[in-house]
Amino acid sequence: QVQLVESGGGLVQPGGSLRLSCAASGRNLSDSSMAWFRQVSGKERNFVSAIEYMSERRYYHESVKGRFTISRDIAKNTLYLQMNSLKPEDTAVYLCAAAASTWGSALYNSRNYDNWGQGTQVTVSS
């Protein structure tokens, strides 16, 4: 059984930083493309960042480029999202996701992911 468990969310002031983690079990991250999406209550999931299977190429939504960094530790089977210079509009539930045989622009589409975590709340407010 595949499980993705996010952690690291919380309340932070504008301009602050958080590091999210996504621990995987039942699935090797090295065999998957991995991504972070975020969702505000009542709205659809929006792509944040992804790391591509095999190439390790990183993808970012325009709104987080230069502020967020995606990475993964294969030995720990864990995905990370370092978030700096946080803004109130970054407030959302952040979810990690895993996909097999998915590359390029397909990584932006949440429907291409077959495993999801439950999410971790990030609130940016003064």
Side-chain angles (χ1 to χ4, degrees):
Q1 182 180 358
V2 177
Q3 275 196 316
L4 302 177
V5 180
E6 302 94 335
S7 62
L11 173 64
V12 63
Q13 292 187 341
S17 298
L18 284 174
R19 187 194 195 203
L20 306 184
S21 300
C22 172
S25 59
R27 180 170 188 162
N28 290 328
L29 297 194
S30 59
D31 297 334
S32 309
S33 291
M34 300 293 298
W36 290 97
F37 286 76
R38 61 189 180 187
Q39 187 172 26
V40 175
S41 180
K43 297 188 177 181
E44 65 180 10
R45 291 176 181 176
N46 292 322
F47 175 82
V48 175
S49 181
I51 186 165
E52 189 176 74
Y53 168 60
M54 291 184 69
S55 74
E56 297 295 302
R57 182 178 178 182
R58 273 77 164 168
Y59 297 80
Y60 297 96
H61 189 273
E62 196 63 35
S63 65
V64 307
K65 279 183 181 178
R67 300 189 298 123
F68 290 11
T69 302
I70 191 171
S71 63
R72 59 182 170 184
D73 186 328
I74 299 302
K76 295 182 178 180
N77 218 30
T78 300
L79 178 73
Y80 301 100
L81 185 69
Q82 177 67 44
M83 305 187 296
N84 298 328
S85 302
L86 282 161
K87 304 175 181 180
E89 52 264 43
D90 294 319
T91 296
V93 173
Y94 283 70
L95 306 104
C96 71
S101 303
T102 303
W103 296 272
S105 59
L107 293 169
Y108 290 83
N109 190 334
S110 62
R111 288 189 288 270
N112 292 322
Y113 292 83
D114 44 29
N115 291 118
W116 290 86
Q118 292 299 307
T120 185
Q121 176 70 46
V122 172
T123 302
V124 185
S125 175
S126 55

